[in-house]
Amino acid sequence: MPALSDLWTERAEAADHADRLRPLRALFHLPEGMTYLDGNSLGCLTYGARARLRDVVDREWGTGLIASWNQAGWVDLPARVGARIARLVGAEEGALVACDSTSVNLFKVLASALALRPGRRVIVSERSNFPTDLYMAEGLANLLNQGHELRLADHADDIPALVTDETAVLMLTQVNYRTGALHDMASLSRLAHERGALALWDLAHSAGALPVDLAGDGADFAIGCGYKYLNGGPGAPAFLYVAPCHQAAARQPLSGWFGHAAPFAFETGYQPASGVTRFLTGTPSVLALSALDAALDAFDGVDMAALREKSVALTRFFIAAVEALCAGHGLQLVTPREPARRGSQVSFTHPAAYALCQALIEEGVVGDFRAPDILRFGFAPLYNSFADALNAATTIAELLASKRYEDERFQRRNTVT
Ligand SMILES: *Cc1c(COP(=O)(O)O)cnc(C)c1O
């Protein structure tokens, strides 16, 4: 009788063999000996992005200098990169730009949304939302000084009851960063609209991980991250979306010259540009936008439904392998078991999650730890394989069985976890 691990190896090989997206893995620089399951925190480098950065530095910047704003199209990068992301998240033409950070973009779109609902003072979100989203909302409410308040749901099921005729904005992250739970964007946007509120979606863990239909699902505003599943590099520019129906009325508070109707007329007063362009602020980071632009080449021609199919298969395989190989060692799945209710990550709780995560990293299996006790594994469908998933599961099993993670050196905390 073959050993349990042989059966899992055969299954992983068969699944990798059948994977139609498998050739895309070759576009990425994947460090030798590493199983990288942290693309939901920082996506991998593509060879294309590396080559593009070299070219931008040496030719466009080094030789072209100021002329490159026009000749290399630097000035159009926010719109051009935005249009490529738009395809991945179902945005209408001219409704999405790449700029600034997710936090800053949240500030801009939330301020616009609140101004569109002047009689209302409540922002509804979730206590488990990524903290920066809540911090930015809190800071904006303080700045406005008009009595805006955040009301936070403790569970997703509690959201509907919190959305009332006092609610200005329902602000949610589509995929929860800790558990990977996926919200139904269409039904929650509809709920917000039925009660006269606007729907603002954070796509940090959705963009590039699963198909999103901003236009079809009725999102009013959205923001998202460039360095996670879009692989734009550390601190890559983020993006923001404004539904076409709001673009003429929406005003944003960071009214810099790049959002002006005529930036190079150098007028004294501010006149917003038409469309989503008015949501730009200052000079874009050309190196960073160029890297993101090149990284997006990996998505060219990729059918987002096929991407989702692979993502679901990978996470399902990983859950099954961990539960079969690590049974009885205290791991608890916190990601929804039903594929339609999860994004592209799998999280488990364990009392020694931090030490386990450190021990895994030493073994070359890179996931991450999220306080207080979560072990998180992201599956980037463009480059992760079923062999990656199995290697992670068998390494976790080995560490749990040997208890090697209890070693003192795995307890020390780093700044970035
Ligand atoms: C990753 C993430 C962010 C990151 O914000 P930055 O401004 O890039 O630091 C924001 N919101 C959510 C939900 C995230 O997952």
Side-chain angles (χ1 to χ4, degrees), residues 129-212:
N129 199 345
F130 191 82
T132 200
D133 295 38
L134 304 179
Y135 301 159
M136 294 307 290
E138 197 184 307
L140 176 60
N142 289 338
L143 179 71
L144 291 172
N145 200 19
Q146 294 169 354
H148 287 96
E149 61 169 294
L150 261 175
R151 288 194 194 150
L152 303 177
D154 285 311
H155 300 286
D157 296 345
D158 302 337
I159 295 169
L162 286 183
V163 182
T164 69
D165 60 6
E166 295 177 303
T167 308
V169 179
L170 174 59
M171 175 184 91
L172 295 171
T173 298
Q174 192 187 14
V175 176
N176 186 281
Y177 78 104
R178 273 207 195 96
T179 65
L182 169 67
H183 280 305
D184 179 345
M185 183 183 286
S187 70
L188 285 163
S189 300
R190 197 178 322 117
L191 171 95
H193 296 159
E194 280 165 8
R195 300 183 188 171
L198 296 169
L200 192 174
W201 289 95
D202 188 330
L203 307 180
H205 294 276
S206 329
L210 47 103
V212 178

Side-chain angles (χ1 to χ4, degrees), residues 78-350:
R80 230 169 50 227
V81 175
R84 302 185 75 189
I85 298 169
R87 180 183 82 84
L88 307 182
V89 296
E92 299 89 339
E93 203 182 322
L96 194 148
V97 279
C99 58
D100 304 312
S101 68
T102 308
S103 303
V104 170
N105 287 337
L106 176 65
F107 184 87
K108 293 189 285 187
V109 298
L110 181 59
S112 311
L114 293 177
L116 291 172
R117 289 294 177 273
R120 296 168 173 236
R121 292 287 180 267
V122 176
I123 303 158
V124 172
S125 192
E126 286 181 284
R127 200 171 302 284
S128 64
N129 199 345
F130 191 82
T132 200
D133 295 38
L134 304 179
Y135 301 159
M136 294 307 290
E138 197 184 307
L140 176 60
N142 289 338
L143 179 71
L144 291 172
N145 200 19
Q146 294 169 354
H148 287 96
E149 61 169 294
L150 261 175
R151 288 194 194 150
L152 303 177
D154 285 311
H155 300 286
D157 296 345
D158 302 337
I159 295 169
L162 286 183
V163 182
T164 69
D165 60 6
E166 295 177 303
T167 308
V169 179
L170 174 59
M171 175 184 91
L172 295 171
T173 298
Q174 192 187 14
V175 176
N176 186 281
Y177 78 104
R178 273 207 195 96
T179 65
L182 169 67
H183 280 305
D184 179 345
M185 183 183 286
S187 70
L188 285 163
S189 300
R190 197 178 322 117
L191 171 95
H193 296 159
E194 280 165 8
R195 300 183 188 171
L198 296 169
L200 192 174
W201 289 95
D202 188 330
L203 307 180
H205 294 276
S206 329
L210 47 103
V212 178
D213 187 8
L214 287 173
D217 287 350
D220 296 290
F221 294 90
I223 52 175
C225 187
Y227 53 79
K228 292 172 180 163
Y229 292 96
L230 299 181
N231 311 306
F239 63 87
L240 68 83
Y241 164 83
V242 181
C245 63
H246 298 306
Q247 286 174 12
R251 291 285 183 278
Q252 65 107 344
L254 302 184
S255 47
W257 70 314
F258 267 70
H260 194 281
F264 290 90
F266 298 102
E267 290 159 3
T268 305
Y270 181 75
Q271 284 297 326
S274 63
V276 76
T277 306
R278 66 179 55 178
F279 279 77
L280 298 179
T281 297
T283 308
S285 169
V286 170
L287 297 181
L289 268 171
S290 301
L292 175 58
D293 188 27
L296 290 168
D297 290 352
F299 286 93
D300 281 351
V302 172
D303 170 18
M304 294 305 281
L307 182 105
R308 175 66 173 160
E309 205 179 301
K310 177 174 176 186
S311 154
V312 165
L314 275 171
T315 52
R316 180 192 283 132
F317 178 87
F318 181 65
I319 292 169
V322 168
E323 291 187 337
L325 302 171
C326 310
H329 287 292
L331 283 174
Q332 285 288 338
L333 180 70
V334 289
T335 299
R337 207 172 276 282
E338 192 188 323
R341 293 187 50 238
R342 65 173 182 256
S344 201
Q345 71 173 64
V346 177
S347 303
F348 294 94
T349 56
H350 190 277

